[in-house]
Amino acid sequence: MRRSLTACLVLVLLASACGDRLAAGTAGVSPSASSLPVASATVASGTIVAATVRPSGAPTPTPVVTPIPTPSPTVTPAAPGALTLAQLKYRLFDRFGRLWYCDPDFYPVARADETSLAEQRFPEIQKDAEAFMAILAHLGYVPSATYSQDQKLAIYRDWKMLGALRLDPAGGSYHFAARFTPDGRTGSLVDGTIDPAGRIVVASQTASGPPPCPICLARGTLIATPAGSLAIESLREGMAVWTTDPQGVRAAAVILAVGSMTAPADHRVVHLVLSDGRELRASPGHPLADGRPLGAVVPGETVDGATVVIAELVPYGLGKTFDLLPSGPTATYWADGVPLGSTIGR
């Protein structure tokens, strides 16, 4: 029951567990709602949740970089003495830990080297003066004409994190609902408000694990279940699915969570064809049951006892992608006959 409730809350926060868009932190004056700056921006994945989560064995990046959310949208002037939106967000991070979220540079598929992206977007970050100055102050950097590569990367990561947290005007305060982590291993889902002076009121705070950051399967992928092969988009929490136990024996499991994400226009998937006729389309970062990301598989290698005949990137173009999390210790399942791991965190 507790696991089910947690999964529900995660999905509510996600708005779509595999890639859409979100947006826009502590001390005295509480202006009226009409005087509050309107915090609006976009975030990849519809994921309010969460220090940055990056997939292991990141796939070969695609050459096209999809724009990520801008942390400080145009706002009306703040009341005298009020903190900026970026400062308010940092108050929340100082209180609860860094935002634990699905980094748009890595989900639903890696775009490019993060250091290169930091370099590319640095002029844009500098133009976002309010956020830029807040980041420098929080990181302890002295404003300068030049910054080192490591400094640019740290600034870029904070800039993305600021953009992933949404603050919505609510009376004389801002409402937030997000997942935070003090150490990258444990975290909490927090719902509350923060006023323009930085005073925080917590409505609820519950322990939480990592955010689910699915790197997903194509629409129409058939999943093996005790009821037969079912299209992944038709599956729901609580339904039965086949998995494997630690000894590799097939066993029935219950679906604990499902995720879907609107893939970007340039999203590409791996078209995998095996020598025994099995065929699968999934994002490059999706793991096989043995842990290898699909994007790392090449022709001639072996997958589940069969030789890889084709492993190529092809355009997706089917809108949403999907994933599921089965119960059991391995979190594996069969998709179009190929054993896979899940990308949804427990």
Side-chain angles (χ1 to χ4, degrees):
M1 179 67 175
R2 185 174 184 181
R3 179 175 285 172
S4 177
L5 290 174
T6 299
C8 290
L9 180 54
V10 167
L11 293 177
V12 169
L13 288 174
L14 283 177
S16 272
C18 247
D20 268 353
R21 305 220 168 188
L22 298 193
T26 322
V29 181
S30 298
S32 65
S34 61
S35 68
L36 285 171
V38 176
S40 63
T42 59
V43 169
S45 285
T47 310
I48 300 178
V49 294
T52 301
V53 176
R54 299 178 179 82
S56 59
T60 302
T62 60
V64 180
V65 177
T66 299
I68 60 173
T70 301
S72 294
T74 302
V75 298
T76 56
L83 299 177
T84 66
L85 291 175
Q87 290 172 327
L88 290 174
K89 293 176 184 182
Y90 269 128
R91 287 291 182 90
L92 293 174
F93 303 152
D94 290 342
R95 168 83 175 265
F96 303 110
R98 291 180 68 82
L99 190 69
W100 217 355
Y101 74 110
C102 301
D103 193 322
D105 284 344
F106 295 90
Y107 296 93
V109 60
R111 300 291 164 193
D113 177 70
E114 192 181 21
T115 301
S116 298
L117 290 174
E119 188 70 38
Q120 291 173 22
R121 306 212 67 167
F122 201 70
E124 182 181 351
I125 299 171
Q126 288 178 301
K127 290 179 181 179
D128 188 1
E130 177 186 292
F132 186 63
M133 295 309 296
I135 293 170
L136 293 182
H138 199 264
L139 294 176
Y141 295 164
V142 177
S144 172
T146 61
Y147 296 89
S148 69
Q149 187 178 76
D150 288 343
Q151 288 176 324
K152 288 182 178 180
L153 181 58
I155 291 169
Y156 177 58
R157 286 174 172 171
D158 271 28
W159 185 68
K160 289 188 292 181
M161 181 175 67
L162 289 170
L165 176 61
R166 184 181 182 91
L167 297 181
D168 293 312
S173 299
Y174 291 103
H175 173 258
F176 66 92
R179 189 189 308 253
F180 302 90
T181 177
D183 53 17
R185 298 184 302 275
T186 60
S188 59
L189 290 168
V190 185
D191 186 288
T193 59
I194 182 169
D195 70 18
R199 290 183 290 259
I200 301 169
V201 177
V202 176
S204 66
Q205 182 171 356
T206 57
S208 173
C213 299
I215 309 173
C216 307
L217 302 174
R219 183 185 296 276
T221 300
L222 296 178
I223 306 301
T225 80
S229 295
L230 300 176
I232 190 168
E233 65 269 24
S234 70
L235 300 179
R236 299 292 182 270
E237 292 178 30
M239 294 177 66
V241 66
W242 290 120
T243 187
T244 57
D245 65 18
Q247 287 71 47
V249 178
R250 188 176 75 166
V254 173
I255 297 176
L256 301 179
V258 295
S260 65
M261 165 182 280
T262 300
D266 65 327
H267 185 50
R268 296 189 296 170
V269 295
V270 173
H271 175 214
L272 180 73
V273 180
L274 303 181
S275 57
D276 58 9
R278 284 177 289 173
E279 191 171 351
L280 174 71
R281 285 176 171 80
S283 296
H286 202 109
L288 293 165
D290 61 15
R292 286 179 294 167
L294 277 171
V297 175
V298 298
E301 293 185 344
T302 299
V303 170
D304 193 36
T307 302
V308 176
V309 177
I310 297 174
E312 60 181 355
L313 283 173
V314 297
Y316 182 55
L318 294 178
K320 289 186 176 182
T321 54
F322 305 82
D323 199 12
L324 62 94
L325 175 64
S327 60
T330 66
T332 57
Y333 59 92
W334 281 271
D336 285 337
V338 178
L340 299 179
S342 176
T343 66
I344 300 180
R346 290 179 179 274

